[in-house]
Amino acid sequence: CMQRIDPRDPDLAFVYSDRGRSSDAAVRKLFKEHPSAMLKLIRCFILSPSSVSLLFRPEEYSTFDVVIVDEASQLEPVTLLPLLFRAKQCVLVGDEHQMPPITHFRAKNTASRDDGDYDPDISALSLALVNERFAVTELVCHYRSATESLIKYSQKRFYPNMRTFPAAVPKIASELGLRSVYVEGGVFEGSRNEREAKAVVDCLRAHFDRYYD
């Protein structure tokens, strides 16, 4: 970043005079007072949607080539709007089979607002998928599981066209992946299932007793 500073560029004259400041207030001030310089110095930003709204005023930061939104299935459509106003194009990356936006921790005063037919489970990704004018590309390869049994259920239930790559088989292959543990008398009562919870703890204890180094 510092190597790209041209001492003859008036937009970058502030760099050496403002060195040493590191507070959040100073960062916001830099983005507000020197928008042209910030875009020259930093070519790519990795930020949360709220940080984008805080740092990038649309009248000065509206010409980004592209904004890439990861985990778009967990993003409310209204949160996407500030990002769209600041870029020429948008790429949404996500999985419609994952959890919808989490609204449990939303401020209480928003619960009484009149949202009409607003569905809290609608995400930015699902809204885009409904609109068939957007191009959709599906990733059909999965290679991140240490054993294929970890992805087997999801592949059968949600991703029938997905291809997986066999992982190296270690000596304890029979003990990797997922397995069913039957718990007799495991009943969900009073928002809890104590017998199954105890069985989970027992399995964890046995695993660490055997493999923890």
Side-chain angles (χ1 to χ4, degrees):
C1 180
M2 297 295 292
Q3 294 178 352
R4 291 200 296 269
I5 296 178
D6 185 350
R8 298 166 297 180
D9 191 335
D11 287 337
L12 304 177
F14 75 95
V15 172
Y16 291 99
S17 61
D18 286 352
R19 292 185 70 178
R21 300 182 183 182
S22 59
S23 67
D24 293 339
V27 171
R28 292 195 295 269
K29 184 178 180 181
L30 286 175
F31 278 89
K32 179 180 179 180
E33 296 182 353
H34 308 285
S36 297
M38 299 309 293
L39 293 177
K40 290 179 180 179
L41 293 173
I42 307 175
R43 306 296 176 84
C44 178
F45 297 86
I46 302 178
L47 299 169
S48 66
S50 58
S51 296
V52 170
S53 298
L54 178 66
L55 297 176
F56 297 152
R57 297 192 300 180
E59 60 269 23
E60 296 163 343
Y61 297 93
S62 60
T63 58
F64 283 98
D65 294 325
V66 60
V67 56
I68 301 175
V69 182
D70 195 16
E71 300 292 355
S73 63
Q74 300 177 29
L75 185 71
E76 292 185 271
V78 65
T79 311
L80 180 65
L81 291 177
L83 309 180
L84 298 180
F85 288 136
R86 292 164 172 80
K88 301 174 184 178
Q89 56 184 332
C90 177
V91 176
L92 299 181
V93 182
D95 186 342
E96 68 271 26
H97 299 301
Q98 290 184 350
M99 291 180 60
I102 299 176
T103 59
H104 177 74
F105 299 102
R106 184 185 294 169
K108 293 183 178 179
N109 59 3
T110 63
S112 60
R113 70 185 184 187
D114 183 10
D115 286 332
D117 296 329
Y118 174 73
D119 184 350
D121 288 338
I122 291 180
S123 68
L125 179 65
S126 60
L127 192 62
L129 291 175
V130 171
N131 190 332
E132 297 180 355
R133 294 177 60 87
F134 293 95
V136 178
T137 300
E138 181 181 3
L139 299 180
V140 295
C141 295
H142 177 85
Y143 57 89
R144 299 176 63 182
S145 295
T147 173
E148 286 183 282
S149 62
L150 292 174
I151 196 65
K152 186 175 182 180
Y153 172 81
S154 297
Q155 182 183 22
K156 182 177 180 180
R157 179 65 176 82
F158 302 113
Y159 317 110
N161 298 322
M162 183 177 64
R163 296 191 297 270
T164 61
F165 295 86
V169 181
K171 295 181 180 180
I172 57 171
S174 61
E175 301 178 23
L176 293 179
L178 302 177
R179 63 186 178 92
S180 297
V181 177
Y182 175 72
V183 178
E184 185 174 357
V187 179
F188 188 77
E189 293 179 338
S191 299
R192 64 180 62 184
N193 188 330
E194 294 187 2
R195 291 199 177 187
E196 288 193 3
K198 182 179 183 303
V200 171
V201 173
D202 291 342
C203 288
L204 290 173
R205 182 178 293 112
H207 176 82
F208 280 100
D209 288 344
R210 184 170 184 178
Y211 298 111
Y212 183 73
D213 186 359

